[in-house]
Coordinates of all heavy atoms in Angstrom, one line a residue:
D1 N -6.1 -32.1 6.4 CA -5.2 -30.9 6.5 C -6.1 -29.7 6.9 O -7.0 -29.4 6.1 CB -4.5 -30.7 5.2 CG -3.6 -29.5 5.2 OD1 -3.7 -28.6 6.1 OD2 -2.8 -29.4 4.3
R2 N -5.9 -29.2 8.0 CA -6.7 -28.1 8.5 C -6.2 -26.7 8.0 O -6.9 -25.7 8.3 CB -6.7 -28.1 10.0 CG -7.4 -29.4 10.6 CD -7.4 -29.4 12.0 NE -7.8 -28.1 12.6 CZ -7.9 -27.8 13.9 NH1 -7.6 -28.7 14.8 NH2 -8.4 -26.6 14.3
A3 N -5.1 -26.7 7.3 CA -4.5 -25.4 6.9 C -5.4 -24.6 6.0 O -5.4 -23.4 6.0 CB -3.2 -25.6 6.2
G4 N -6.3 -25.2 5.2 CA -7.1 -24.5 4.3 C -8.5 -24.1 4.9 O -9.2 -23.5 4.3
E5 N -8.8 -24.6 6.1 CA -10.0 -24.3 6.8 C -10.1 -22.8 7.1 O -9.1 -22.2 7.4 CB -10.2 -25.1 8.1 CG -10.4 -26.5 7.9 CD -10.5 -27.2 9.3 OE1 -10.6 -26.5 10.3 OE2 -10.4 -28.4 9.3
G6 N -11.3 -22.3 7.0 CA -11.5 -20.9 7.4 C -11.6 -20.7 8.9 O -12.1 -21.5 9.6
V7 N -11.1 -19.5 9.3 CA -11.2 -19.2 10.7 C -11.5 -17.7 10.8 O -11.3 -16.9 9.8 CB -9.8 -19.4 11.5 CG1 -9.5 -20.9 11.5 CG2 -8.7 -18.6 10.9
V8 N -12.0 -17.3 11.9 CA -12.3 -15.8 12.1 C -11.2 -15.3 13.1 O -10.9 -15.8 14.1 CB -13.7 -15.7 12.8 CG1 -14.0 -14.2 13.1 CG2 -14.8 -16.2 11.9
V9 N -10.7 -14.2 12.6 CA -9.6 -13.5 13.3 C -10.0 -12.1 13.8 O -10.7 -11.4 13.0 CB -8.3 -13.4 12.4 CG1 -7.2 -12.6 13.1 CG2 -7.8 -14.8 11.9
S10 N -9.7 -11.8 15.0 CA -10.0 -10.5 15.5 C -8.9 -10.0 16.4 O -8.1 -10.8 16.8 CB -11.4 -10.5 16.3 OG -11.2 -11.3 17.4
L11 N -8.8 -8.7 16.6 CA -7.9 -8.1 17.5 C -8.5 -8.0 18.9 O -9.5 -7.3 19.0 CB -7.4 -6.8 17.0 CG -6.6 -6.8 15.6 CD1 -6.3 -5.4 15.2 CD2 -5.4 -7.6 15.7
L12 N -7.9 -8.5 19.9 CA -8.4 -8.5 21.2 C -8.6 -7.1 21.6 O -9.7 -6.7 22.3 CB -7.4 -9.2 22.2 CG -7.9 -9.3 23.6 CD1 -9.2 -10.1 23.8 CD2 -6.8 -9.9 24.4
E13 N -7.7 -6.2 21.2 CA -7.8 -4.8 21.7 C -9.0 -4.1 21.1 O -9.5 -3.1 21.6 CB -6.5 -4.0 21.2 CG -5.3 -4.5 22.0 CD -4.6 -5.7 21.3 OE1 -5.1 -6.3 20.3 OE2 -3.6 -6.2 21.8
L14 N -9.5 -4.6 19.9 CA -10.7 -4.0 19.3 C -12.0 -4.6 19.6 O -13.0 -4.2 19.1 CB -10.5 -3.9 17.8 CG -9.2 -3.1 17.3 CD1 -9.1 -3.3 15.7 CD2 -9.3 -1.7 17.7
G15 N -12.0 -5.6 20.4 CA -13.2 -6.3 20.7 C -13.8 -6.9 19.5 O -13.2 -7.5 18.6
D16 N -15.1 -6.8 19.3 CA -15.8 -7.4 18.2 C -15.9 -6.4 17.0 O -16.5 -6.7 16.0 CB -17.3 -7.8 18.6 CG -17.3 -9.0 19.5 OD1 -16.3 -9.8 19.4 OD2 -18.2 -9.1 20.3
W17 N -15.3 -5.2 17.1 CA -15.3 -4.2 16.1 C -14.8 -4.7 14.8 O -15.3 -4.4 13.8 CB -14.5 -3.0 16.6 CG -14.7 -1.9 15.6 CD1 -15.7 -1.0 15.5 CD2 -13.7 -1.4 14.7 NE1 -15.4 -0.1 14.5 CE2 -14.2 -0.3 14.0 CE3 -12.4 -1.9 14.4 CZ2 -13.4 0.3 13.0 CZ3 -11.7 -1.2 13.4 CH2 -12.2 -0.1 12.8
L18 N -13.7 -5.5 14.8 CA -13.1 -6.0 13.6 C -12.8 -7.5 13.7 O -12.1 -7.9 14.5 CB -11.7 -5.3 13.3 CG -10.9 -5.7 12.1 CD1 -11.7 -5.3 10.9 CD2 -9.6 -5.1 12.1
S19 N -13.5 -8.2 12.8 CA -13.3 -9.6 12.7 C -13.2 -10.0 11.2 O -14.0 -9.5 10.5 CB -14.5 -10.4 13.4 OG -14.5 -10.2 14.7
L20 N -12.2 -10.8 10.9 CA -12.1 -11.1 9.5 C -12.0 -12.7 9.3 O -11.4 -13.4 10.1 CB -10.7 -10.6 9.0 CG -10.5 -9.1 9.1 CD1 -9.1 -8.7 8.8 CD2 -11.4 -8.3 8.2
A21 N -12.7 -13.1 8.3 CA -12.6 -14.6 8.0 C -11.5 -14.8 7.0 O -11.3 -14.0 6.1 CB -13.9 -15.0 7.3
M22 N -10.6 -15.8 7.3 CA -9.5 -16.1 6.4 C -9.1 -17.5 6.6 O -9.4 -18.2 7.5 CB -8.3 -15.1 6.7 CG -7.7 -15.3 8.1 SD -6.4 -14.1 8.5 CE -7.3 -12.6 8.4
P23 N -8.3 -18.0 5.6 CA -7.7 -19.4 5.8 C -6.8 -19.5 7.0 O -6.1 -18.6 7.4 CB -6.9 -19.6 4.5 CG -7.4 -18.5 3.5 CD -7.8 -17.4 4.4
R24 N -6.9 -20.7 7.6 CA -6.1 -20.9 8.8 C -4.6 -20.6 8.6 O -3.9 -20.1 9.5 CB -6.3 -22.3 9.3 CG -5.6 -22.7 10.6 CD -5.9 -24.1 11.1 NE -7.3 -24.3 11.3 CZ -8.0 -24.0 12.3 NH1 -7.4 -23.4 13.4 NH2 -9.3 -24.2 12.5
A25 N -4.1 -21.0 7.4 CA -2.6 -20.8 7.1 C -2.3 -19.3 7.2 O -1.2 -19.0 7.7 CB -2.3 -21.4 5.8
L26 N -3.1 -18.5 6.6 CA -2.9 -17.0 6.6 C -3.0 -16.5 8.1 O -2.2 -15.7 8.5 CB -3.8 -16.3 5.7 CG -3.7 -14.8 5.7 CD1 -2.3 -14.4 5.3 CD2 -4.7 -14.2 4.7
A27 N -3.9 -17.0 8.8 CA -4.1 -16.5 10.2 C -2.9 -16.9 11.0 O -2.4 -16.1 11.8 CB -5.3 -17.2 10.8
S28 N -2.3 -18.1 10.8 CA -1.1 -18.5 11.5 C 0.1 -17.6 11.1 O 0.9 -17.2 12.0 CB -0.7 -19.9 11.1 OG -1.7 -20.8 11.6
K29 N 0.2 -17.2 9.9 CA 1.3 -16.3 9.4 C 1.1 -14.9 10.1 O 2.1 -14.3 10.5 CB 1.3 -16.1 7.9 CG 1.8 -17.4 7.2 CD 1.8 -17.2 5.7 CE 2.2 -18.5 5.0 NZ 2.2 -18.4 3.6
L30 N -0.1 -14.4 10.1 CA -0.4 -13.1 10.8 C -0.1 -13.2 12.3 O 0.5 -12.2 12.8 CB -1.8 -12.7 10.5 CG -2.1 -12.2 9.1 CD1 -3.6 -11.9 9.0 CD2 -1.3 -11.0 8.8
Q31 N -0.4 -14.3 12.9 CA -0.1 -14.5 14.3 C 1.4 -14.5 14.5 O 1.9 -13.9 15.5 CB -0.7 -15.8 14.8 CG -0.6 -15.9 16.3 CD -1.4 -17.2 16.8 OE1 -1.5 -18.1 16.0 NE2 -1.8 -17.2 18.0
A32 N 2.2 -15.1 13.7 CA 3.6 -15.1 13.8 C 4.2 -13.7 13.6 O 5.1 -13.3 14.3 CB 4.2 -16.1 12.8
L33 N 3.7 -13.0 12.6 CA 4.1 -11.7 12.4 C 3.8 -10.8 13.6 O 4.7 -10.0 14.0 CB 3.4 -11.1 11.1 CG 3.7 -9.7 10.7 CD1 5.2 -9.5 10.5 CD2 2.8 -9.2 9.6
R34 N 2.7 -10.8 14.1 CA 2.3 -10.0 15.3 C 3.2 -10.4 16.5 O 3.7 -9.5 17.2 CB 0.9 -10.3 15.7 CG 0.4 -9.4 16.9 CD -1.1 -9.6 17.1 NE -1.6 -8.7 18.0 CZ -2.0 -9.1 19.3 NH1 -1.9 -10.3 19.7 NH2 -2.4 -8.2 20.1
G35 N 3.4 -11.7 16.7 CA 4.3 -12.1 17.7 C 5.8 -11.6 17.6 O 6.4 -11.2 18.5
M36 N 6.2 -11.6 16.4 CA 7.6 -11.2 16.1 C 7.7 -9.7 16.3 O 8.7 -9.2 16.9 CB 8.1 -11.5 14.7 CG 9.5 -11.3 14.5 SD 10.1 -12.1 13.0 CE 11.9 -12.1 13.3
L37 N 6.7 -8.9 15.8 CA 6.7 -7.4 16.1 C 6.7 -7.1 17.6 O 7.4 -6.2 18.1 CB 5.5 -6.8 15.4 CG 5.6 -6.6 13.9 CD1 4.3 -6.2 13.3 CD2 6.7 -5.5 13.6
Q38 N 5.8 -7.8 18.3 CA 5.8 -7.6 19.8 C 7.1 -7.9 20.4 O 7.6 -7.2 21.3 CB 4.7 -8.5 20.4 CG 3.3 -8.0 20.2 CD 2.2 -8.9 20.8 OE1 2.4 -10.1 20.8 NE2 1.2 -8.3 21.3
Y39 N 7.7 -9.1 20.0 CA 9.0 -9.5 20.6 C 10.1 -8.4 20.3 O 10.8 -8.0 21.2 CB 9.4 -10.8 20.0 CG 10.9 -11.1 20.3 CD1 11.3 -11.6 21.5 CD2 11.8 -10.9 19.3 CE1 12.6 -11.9 21.8 CE2 13.2 -11.2 19.5 CZ 13.5 -11.7 20.8 OH 14.9 -12.0 21.0
L40 N 10.1 -8.0 19.0 CA 11.2 -7.0 18.7 C 10.9 -5.7 19.4 O 11.9 -5.1 19.9 CB 11.1 -6.7 17.2 CG 11.6 -7.9 16.3 CD1 11.3 -7.6 14.8 CD2 13.1 -8.2 16.5
F41 N 9.7 -5.2 19.5 CA 9.4 -4.0 20.2 C 9.9 -4.1 21.7 O 10.6 -3.2 22.2 CB 8.0 -3.6 20.1 CG 7.6 -2.4 20.8 CD1 7.9 -1.2 20.2 CD2 6.9 -2.4 22.0 CE1 7.5 0.0 20.8 CE2 6.6 -1.2 22.7 CZ 6.8 0.0 22.1
K42 N 9.4 -5.1 22.4 CA 9.7 -5.3 23.8 C 11.3 -5.4 24.0 O 11.8 -4.8 24.9 CB 9.0 -6.5 24.4 CG 7.5 -6.3 24.5 CD 6.9 -7.6 25.0 CE 5.4 -7.4 25.1 NZ 4.7 -8.7 25.5
T43 N 11.9 -6.2 23.2 CA 13.3 -6.4 23.3 C 14.1 -5.1 23.1 O 15.0 -4.8 23.9 CB 13.8 -7.5 22.3 OG1 13.1 -8.7 22.6 CG2 15.3 -7.8 22.5
I44 N 13.8 -4.4 22.1 CA 14.5 -3.1 21.8 C 14.2 -2.1 22.9 O 15.1 -1.3 23.2 CB 14.1 -2.7 20.4 CG1 14.7 -3.6 19.3 CG2 14.7 -1.3 20.1 CD1 14.2 -3.4 17.9
C45 N 13.0 -2.0 23.4 CA 12.7 -1.1 24.5 C 13.4 -1.4 25.7 O 13.9 -0.5 26.4 CB 11.2 -1.1 24.7 SG 10.2 -0.2 23.4
V46 N 13.5 -2.7 26.1 CA 14.1 -3.1 27.3 C 15.6 -3.0 27.2 O 16.3 -2.6 28.2 CB 13.7 -4.5 27.7 CG1 14.5 -5.1 28.9 CG2 12.2 -4.5 28.1
Q47 N 16.2 -3.4 26.1 CA 17.6 -3.5 25.9 C 18.0 -3.0 24.5 O 18.3 -3.8 23.6 CB 18.1 -4.9 26.1 CG 19.6 -5.1 26.2 CD 20.0 -6.5 26.5 OE1 19.1 -7.4 26.5 NE2 21.2 -6.7 26.7
P48 N 18.0 -1.7 24.3 CA 18.4 -1.1 23.0 C 19.7 -1.6 22.5 O 19.9 -1.6 21.3 CB 18.4 0.4 23.3 CG 17.6 0.6 24.5 CD 17.8 -0.6 25.3
S49 N 20.6 -1.9 23.4 CA 21.9 -2.3 22.9 C 21.9 -3.7 22.2 O 22.9 -4.1 21.5 CB 22.9 -2.4 24.1 OG 22.4 -3.4 25.0
S50 N 20.7 -4.4 22.3 CA 20.6 -5.7 21.6 C 20.3 -5.5 20.1 O 20.3 -6.6 19.4 CB 19.5 -6.5 22.2 OG 18.2 -5.9 22.1
L51 N 20.1 -4.3 19.6 CA 19.7 -4.1 18.2 C 20.7 -4.7 17.2 O 20.3 -5.4 16.3 CB 19.4 -2.6 17.9 CG 18.9 -2.3 16.5 CD1 17.6 -3.0 16.3 CD2 18.8 -0.8 16.4
P52 N 22.0 -4.5 17.4 CA 22.9 -5.1 16.4 C 22.8 -6.6 16.3 O 22.9 -7.2 15.2 CB 24.3 -4.7 16.9 CG 24.1 -3.4 17.7 CD 22.7 -3.7 18.4
E53 N 22.6 -7.3 17.5 CA 22.4 -8.7 17.4 C 21.1 -9.1 16.8 O 21.0 -10.1 16.0 CB 22.5 -9.3 18.9 CG 22.5 -10.8 19.0 CD 23.7 -11.4 18.4 OE1 24.8 -10.8 18.4 OE2 23.6 -12.5 17.9
I54 N 20.1 -8.4 17.0 CA 18.8 -8.7 16.4 C 18.9 -8.5 14.9 O 18.3 -9.3 14.2 CB 17.7 -7.7 17.0 CG1 17.4 -8.1 18.4 CG2 16.4 -7.7 16.1 CD1 16.5 -7.1 19.2
L55 N 19.6 -7.5 14.4 CA 19.7 -7.3 13.0 C 20.4 -8.4 12.2 O 20.4 -8.4 11.0 CB 20.3 -5.9 12.7 CG 19.4 -4.7 13.2 CD1 20.2 -3.4 13.0 CD2 18.1 -4.7 12.4
K56 N 21.1 -9.3 13.0 CA 21.8 -10.4 12.3 C 20.8 -11.4 11.8 O 21.1 -12.2 10.9 CB 22.8 -11.1 13.3 CG 23.9 -10.2 13.6 CD 24.9 -10.9 14.6 CE 26.0 -10.0 14.9 NZ 26.9 -10.6 16.0
D57 N 19.6 -11.4 12.4 CA 18.5 -12.3 11.9 C 17.8 -11.7 10.7 O 17.3 -10.6 10.8 CB 17.5 -12.6 13.0 CG 16.4 -13.5 12.6 OD1 15.4 -13.0 12.1 OD2 16.6 -14.7 12.8
E58 N 17.9 -12.4 9.5 CA 17.3 -11.9 8.3 C 15.9 -11.4 8.4 O 15.5 -10.4 7.9 CB 17.5 -12.9 7.2 CG 17.0 -12.4 5.8 CD 17.1 -13.5 4.8 OE1 17.6 -14.6 5.0 OE2 16.5 -13.3 3.7
A59 N 15.1 -12.3 9.0 CA 13.6 -12.0 9.1 C 13.4 -10.8 10.0 O 12.6 -9.9 9.6 CB 12.8 -13.2 9.6
A60 N 14.1 -10.7 11.1 CA 13.9 -9.6 12.0 C 14.4 -8.3 11.4 O 13.7 -7.2 11.5 CB 14.7 -9.8 13.3
A61 N 15.5 -8.3 10.7 CA 16.0 -7.1 10.0 C 15.1 -6.7 8.9 O 14.8 -5.5 8.8 CB 17.4 -7.4 9.4
T62 N 14.6 -7.6 8.2 CA 13.6 -7.3 7.1 C 12.3 -6.7 7.7 O 11.8 -5.7 7.2 CB 13.2 -8.5 6.2 OG1 14.5 -9.0 5.7 CG2 12.3 -8.1 5.1
L63 N 11.8 -7.2 8.8 CA 10.6 -6.8 9.4 C 10.8 -5.4 9.9 O 10.0 -4.5 9.8 CB 10.2 -7.7 10.5 CG 8.9 -7.4 11.2 CD1 7.7 -7.4 10.2 CD2 8.6 -8.5 12.2
L64 N 12.0 -5.1 10.6 CA 12.2 -3.8 11.1 C 12.4 -2.7 10.0 O 11.8 -1.6 10.0 CB 13.4 -3.8 12.0 CG 13.3 -4.4 13.3 CD1 14.6 -4.5 14.0 CD2 12.3 -3.7 14.2
E65 N 13.0 -3.2 8.9 CA 13.2 -2.2 7.7 C 11.8 -1.9 7.1 O 11.5 -0.8 6.8 CB 14.1 -2.9 6.7 CG 14.3 -2.0 5.5 CD 15.2 -2.6 4.5 OE1 15.8 -3.7 4.7 OE2 15.3 -2.1 3.3
L66 N 11.0 -3.0 6.9 CA 9.7 -2.8 6.4 C 8.8 -1.9 7.3 O 8.2 -1.0 6.8 CB 9.0 -4.1 6.3 CG 7.5 -4.1 5.9 CD1 7.2 -3.5 4.6 CD2 6.9 -5.5 5.9
S67 N 8.9 -2.1 8.6 CA 8.1 -1.3 9.5 C 8.5 0.2 9.5 O 7.7 1.1 9.5 CB 8.3 -1.8 11.0 OG 7.8 -3.1 11.1
T68 N 9.8 0.4 9.4 CA 10.4 1.8 9.3 C 9.9 2.4 8.0 O 9.5 3.6 8.0 CB 11.9 1.8 9.4 OG1 12.3 1.1 10.6 CG2 12.4 3.2 9.3
T69 N 10.0 1.7 6.9 CA 9.6 2.2 5.6 C 8.1 2.6 5.7 O 7.7 3.7 5.2 CB 9.8 1.2 4.5 OG1 11.2 0.9 4.5 CG2 9.4 1.8 3.1
I70 N 7.3 1.8 6.2 CA 5.8 2.1 6.3 C 5.6 3.3 7.2 O 4.8 4.1 6.8 CB 5.1 0.8 6.8 CG1 5.1 -0.3 5.7 CG2 3.6 1.2 7.2 CD1 4.6 -1.6 6.2
L71 N 6.2 3.3 8.3 CA 6.0 4.4 9.3 C 6.4 5.8 8.7 O 5.8 6.8 9.0 CB 6.7 4.1 10.6 CG 6.1 3.0 11.4 CD1 7.0 2.7 12.6 CD2 4.7 3.3 11.8
V72 N 7.5 5.8 7.9 CA 7.9 7.1 7.4 C 7.3 7.4 6.0 O 7.5 8.5 5.5 CB 9.5 7.2 7.3 CG1 10.1 7.1 8.7 CG2 10.0 6.2 6.4
A73 N 6.6 6.5 5.4 CA 6.1 6.7 4.1 C 5.1 7.9 3.9 O 5.2 8.7 3.0 CB 5.3 5.4 3.6
G74 N 4.3 8.1 4.9 CA 3.3 9.2 4.9 C 2.6 9.3 3.6 O 2.1 8.3 3.0
D75 N 2.5 10.5 3.0 CA 1.8 10.7 1.7 C 2.7 10.7 0.5 O 2.3 10.9 -0.6 CB 1.1 12.0 1.8 CG -0.1 12.0 2.8 OD1 -0.6 10.9 3.0 OD2 -0.4 13.0 3.4
D76 N 4.0 10.5 0.7 CA 5.0 10.5 -0.4 C 4.8 9.3 -1.3 O 4.9 8.2 -0.9 CB 6.4 10.5 0.2 CG 7.5 10.6 -0.9 OD1 7.2 10.6 -2.1 OD2 8.7 10.6 -0.4
E77 N 4.4 9.5 -2.5 CA 4.1 8.5 -3.5 C 5.3 7.5 -3.6 O 5.2 6.3 -3.7 CB 3.7 9.0 -4.8 CG 3.1 8.0 -5.7 CD 2.5 8.6 -7.0 OE1 1.7 9.6 -6.9 OE2 2.9 8.2 -8.1
N78 N 6.5 8.1 -3.7 CA 7.7 7.3 -3.9 C 7.9 6.4 -2.7 O 8.3 5.2 -2.8 CB 8.9 8.2 -4.2 CG 10.2 7.3 -4.5 OD1 10.1 6.4 -5.2 ND2 11.3 7.7 -3.9
A79 N 7.7 7.0 -1.5 CA 7.9 6.2 -0.3 C 6.9 5.1 -0.2 O 7.2 4.0 0.3 CB 7.8 7.1 0.9
Q80 N 5.7 5.4 -0.7 CA 4.6 4.3 -0.6 C 5.0 3.2 -1.6 O 4.8 2.0 -1.3 CB 3.3 4.9 -1.0 CG 2.7 5.8 0.0 CD 1.4 6.5 -0.4 OE1 1.0 6.3 -1.5 NE2 0.8 7.2 0.5
S81 N 5.6 3.5 -2.7 CA 6.1 2.5 -3.7 C 7.2 1.6 -3.0 O 7.2 0.4 -3.1 CB 6.6 3.1 -4.9 OG 7.2 2.1 -5.8
Q82 N 8.1 2.3 -2.3 CA 9.2 1.6 -1.6 C 8.6 0.7 -0.5 O 9.1 -0.4 -0.3 CB 10.2 2.6 -1.0 CG 11.0 3.3 -2.0 CD 11.8 4.4 -1.4 OE1 11.7 4.8 -0.2 NE2 12.8 4.9 -2.1
A83 N 7.6 1.2 0.2 CA 6.9 0.4 1.2 C 6.3 -0.9 0.6 O 6.4 -1.9 1.2 CB 5.9 1.2 2.0
A84 N 5.7 -0.7 -0.5 CA 5.1 -1.9 -1.2 C 6.1 -2.9 -1.6 O 5.9 -4.1 -1.4 CB 4.3 -1.4 -2.4
T85 N 7.3 -2.4 -2.1 CA 8.4 -3.3 -2.5 C 8.9 -4.0 -1.2 O 9.2 -5.2 -1.2 CB 9.5 -2.5 -3.2 OG1 8.9 -1.9 -4.3 CG2 10.6 -3.4 -3.5
A86 N 9.1 -3.2 -0.1 CA 9.6 -3.8 1.1 C 8.6 -4.8 1.7 O 9.0 -5.8 2.2 CB 9.9 -2.7 2.1
A87 N 7.3 -4.6 1.5 CA 6.3 -5.5 2.0 C 6.5 -6.8 1.4 O 6.4 -7.9 2.0 CB 4.9 -4.9 1.8
G88 N 6.8 -6.9 0.1 CA 7.0 -8.1 -0.6 C 8.2 -8.9 -0.1 O 8.1 -10.1 0.2
A89 N 9.3 -8.1 0.1 CA 10.5 -8.7 0.7 C 10.2 -9.2 2.1 O 10.7 -10.3 2.5 CB 11.6 -7.8 0.6
G90 N 9.5 -8.4 2.9 CA 9.2 -8.8 4.3 C 8.4 -10.0 4.4 O 8.6 -10.8 5.2
A91 N 7.4 -10.1 3.5 CA 6.5 -11.2 3.5 C 7.3 -12.5 3.2 O 7.1 -13.5 3.8 CB 5.3 -11.1 2.5
A92 N 8.2 -12.4 2.2 CA 9.0 -13.6 1.9 C 9.9 -14.0 3.0 O 10.0 -15.2 3.3 CB 9.8 -13.3 0.6
A93 N 10.5 -13.0 3.7 CA 11.4 -13.3 4.8 C 10.6 -13.9 6.0 O 11.0 -14.9 6.6 CB 12.2 -12.1 5.2
M94 N 9.5 -13.4 6.2 CA 8.6 -13.8 7.3 C 8.1 -15.3 7.0 O 8.1 -16.1 7.9 CB 7.4 -12.9 7.5 CG 6.7 -13.1 8.8 SD 7.8 -12.8 10.2 CE 7.0 -13.9 11.4
E95 N 7.8 -15.5 5.8 CA 7.3 -16.9 5.4 C 8.5 -17.9 5.6 O 8.2 -19.0 6.2 CB 6.8 -16.9 4.0 CG 6.2 -18.2 3.6 CD 5.5 -18.2 2.3 OE1 5.0 -17.1 1.9 OE2 5.3 -19.2 1.7
K96 N 9.7 -17.5 5.2 CA 10.8 -18.4 5.5 C 11.0 -18.6 7.0 O 11.3 -19.8 7.4 CB 12.1 -17.8 4.9 CG 12.2 -17.8 3.4 CD 13.5 -17.2 3.0 CE 13.6 -17.1 1.5 NZ 14.9 -16.4 1.1
A97 N 10.9 -17.6 7.8 CA 11.1 -17.7 9.2 C 10.0 -18.6 9.8 O 10.3 -19.4 10.7 CB 11.0 -16.3 9.9
V98 N 8.7 -18.5 9.4 CA 7.6 -19.3 9.9 C 7.9 -20.7 9.5 O 7.7 -21.7 10.3 CB 6.3 -18.8 9.3 CG1 5.2 -19.8 9.6 CG2 5.9 -17.4 9.9
E99 N 8.3 -21.0 8.3 CA 8.6 -22.4 7.8 C 9.8 -23.0 8.6 O 9.7 -24.2 8.9 CB 9.0 -22.4 6.3 CG 7.8 -22.1 5.4 CD 8.2 -21.9 4.0 OE1 9.4 -22.0 3.6 OE2 7.3 -21.7 3.1
R100 N 10.8 -22.2 8.9 CA 11.9 -22.7 9.7 C 11.6 -22.8 11.2 O 12.3 -23.3 12.0 CB 13.1 -21.7 9.6 CG 13.8 -21.7 8.2 CD 15.1 -21.0 8.3 NE 15.0 -19.8 9.0 CZ 15.1 -18.5 8.6 NH1 15.1 -18.3 7.3 NH2 15.1 -17.5 9.4
G101 N 10.5 -22.2 11.6 CA 10.1 -22.2 13.0 C 10.8 -21.2 13.8 O 10.9 -21.3 15.0
T102 N 11.5 -20.1 13.2 CA 12.2 -19.2 13.9 C 11.5 -17.9 14.1 O 12.0 -17.0 14.8 CB 13.6 -18.8 13.1 OG1 13.2 -18.4 11.8 CG2 14.5 -20.1 13.0
A103 N 10.3 -17.8 13.6 CA 9.5 -16.5 13.9 C 9.2 -16.5 15.4 O 8.7 -17.5 16.0 CB 8.2 -16.5 13.1
R104 N 9.3 -15.4 16.0 CA 9.1 -15.3 17.4 C 7.7 -14.8 17.7 O 7.1 -14.1 17.1 CB 10.1 -14.3 18.1 CG 11.5 -14.9 18.0 CD 12.5 -13.8 18.5 NE 13.8 -14.3 18.5 CZ 14.6 -14.3 17.5 NH1 14.3 -13.8 16.3 NH2 15.9 -14.7 17.6

Protein backbone atom coordinates (compact mmCIF):
# COMPACT_ATOMS: atom_id res chain seq x y z
CA ASP A 1 0.00 0.00 0.00
CA ARG A 2 1.62 3.21 -1.18
CA ALA A 3 -0.94 5.52 0.51
CA GLY A 4 1.21 5.84 3.64
CA GLU A 5 4.42 6.63 1.76
CA GLY A 6 5.78 10.14 2.07
CA VAL A 7 5.90 12.46 -0.93
CA VAL A 8 7.12 16.01 -1.47
CA VAL A 9 4.47 18.45 -2.61
CA SER A 10 5.12 21.90 -4.08
CA LEU A 11 3.16 24.54 -5.93
CA LEU A 12 4.34 24.90 -9.50
CA GLU A 13 3.60 28.62 -9.34
CA LEU A 14 6.02 29.04 -6.40
CA GLY A 15 8.87 27.00 -7.84
CA ASP A 16 11.11 25.54 -5.14
CA TRP A 17 10.12 28.24 -2.66
CA LEU A 18 7.60 26.00 -0.88
CA SER A 19 7.88 22.23 -0.69
CA LEU A 20 6.20 20.09 1.95
CA ALA A 21 6.68 16.44 2.85
CA MET A 22 3.43 14.61 3.59
CA PRO A 23 1.76 11.22 3.30
CA ARG A 24 0.69 10.29 -0.23
CA ALA A 25 -2.97 9.98 0.84
CA LEU A 26 -3.02 13.58 2.08
CA ALA A 27 -1.26 14.80 -1.07
CA SER A 28 -3.96 13.08 -3.16
CA LYS A 29 -6.70 14.80 -1.17
CA LEU A 30 -5.02 18.19 -1.59
CA GLN A 31 -4.65 17.56 -5.31
CA ALA A 32 -8.36 16.72 -5.56
CA LEU A 33 -9.25 19.85 -3.58
CA ARG A 34 -7.10 22.05 -5.83
CA GLY A 35 -8.59 20.47 -8.93
CA MET A 36 -12.13 21.01 -7.72
CA LEU A 37 -11.42 24.65 -6.83
CA GLN A 38 -9.94 25.22 -10.30
CA TYR A 39 -12.90 23.50 -11.95
CA LEU A 40 -15.44 25.52 -9.98
CA PHE A 41 -13.65 28.81 -10.63
CA LYS A 42 -13.33 28.22 -14.38
CA THR A 43 -16.89 26.94 -14.73
CA ILE A 44 -18.43 29.84 -12.83
CA CYS A 45 -16.32 32.40 -14.71
CA VAL A 46 -17.19 30.98 -18.13
CA GLN A 47 -20.85 30.24 -17.40
CA PRO A 48 -22.17 32.03 -14.27
CA SER A 49 -25.66 30.70 -14.99
CA SER A 50 -24.36 27.19 -14.11
CA LEU A 51 -24.07 28.09 -10.42
CA PRO A 52 -27.50 26.71 -9.38
CA GLU A 53 -26.66 23.36 -10.99
CA ILE A 54 -23.20 23.31 -9.37
CA LEU A 55 -24.72 23.97 -5.94
CA LYS A 56 -26.77 20.76 -6.20
CA ASP A 57 -23.51 18.84 -5.65
CA GLU A 58 -22.94 18.62 -1.88
CA ALA A 59 -19.14 18.71 -2.06
CA ALA A 60 -19.11 21.65 -4.49
CA ALA A 61 -21.63 23.62 -2.43
CA THR A 62 -19.67 22.98 0.77
CA LEU A 63 -16.39 23.95 -0.87
CA LEU A 64 -17.84 27.20 -2.21
CA GLU A 65 -19.40 28.01 1.17
CA LEU A 66 -16.11 27.30 2.92
CA SER A 67 -14.16 29.41 0.43
CA THR A 68 -16.56 32.31 0.85
CA THR A 69 -16.39 32.08 4.64
CA ILE A 70 -12.60 32.09 4.59
CA LEU A 71 -12.39 34.99 2.15
CA VAL A 72 -14.74 37.22 4.15
CA ALA A 73 -13.41 36.22 7.58
CA GLY A 74 -10.72 38.88 7.74
CA ASP A 75 -9.79 39.75 11.29
CA ASP A 76 -13.24 39.13 12.77
CA GLU A 77 -12.75 36.52 15.52
CA ASN A 78 -16.32 35.19 15.15
CA ALA A 79 -15.89 34.83 11.40
CA GLN A 80 -12.62 32.97 11.93
CA SER A 81 -14.43 30.55 14.24
CA GLN A 82 -17.11 30.04 11.58
CA ALA A 83 -14.40 29.45 8.99
CA ALA A 84 -12.82 26.78 11.20
CA THR A 85 -16.20 25.07 11.63
CA ALA A 86 -16.85 25.26 7.89
CA ALA A 87 -13.39 23.84 7.23
CA GLY A 88 -14.29 20.72 9.18
CA ALA A 89 -17.52 20.31 7.21
CA GLY A 90 -15.74 21.03 3.95
CA ALA A 91 -13.03 18.50 4.66
CA ALA A 92 -15.62 15.83 5.41
CA ALA A 93 -17.57 16.58 2.23
CA MET A 94 -14.40 16.64 0.16
CA GLU A 95 -13.27 13.33 1.62
CA LYS A 96 -16.63 11.78 0.67
CA ALA A 97 -16.30 13.17 -2.86
CA VAL A 98 -12.77 11.79 -3.19
CA GLU A 99 -13.92 8.39 -1.93
CA ARG A 100 -16.83 8.39 -4.40
CA GLY A 101 -14.52 9.56 -7.16
CA THR A 102 -16.67 12.64 -7.83
CA ALA A 103 -14.09 15.26 -6.91
CA ARG A 104 -13.19 17.19 -10.03
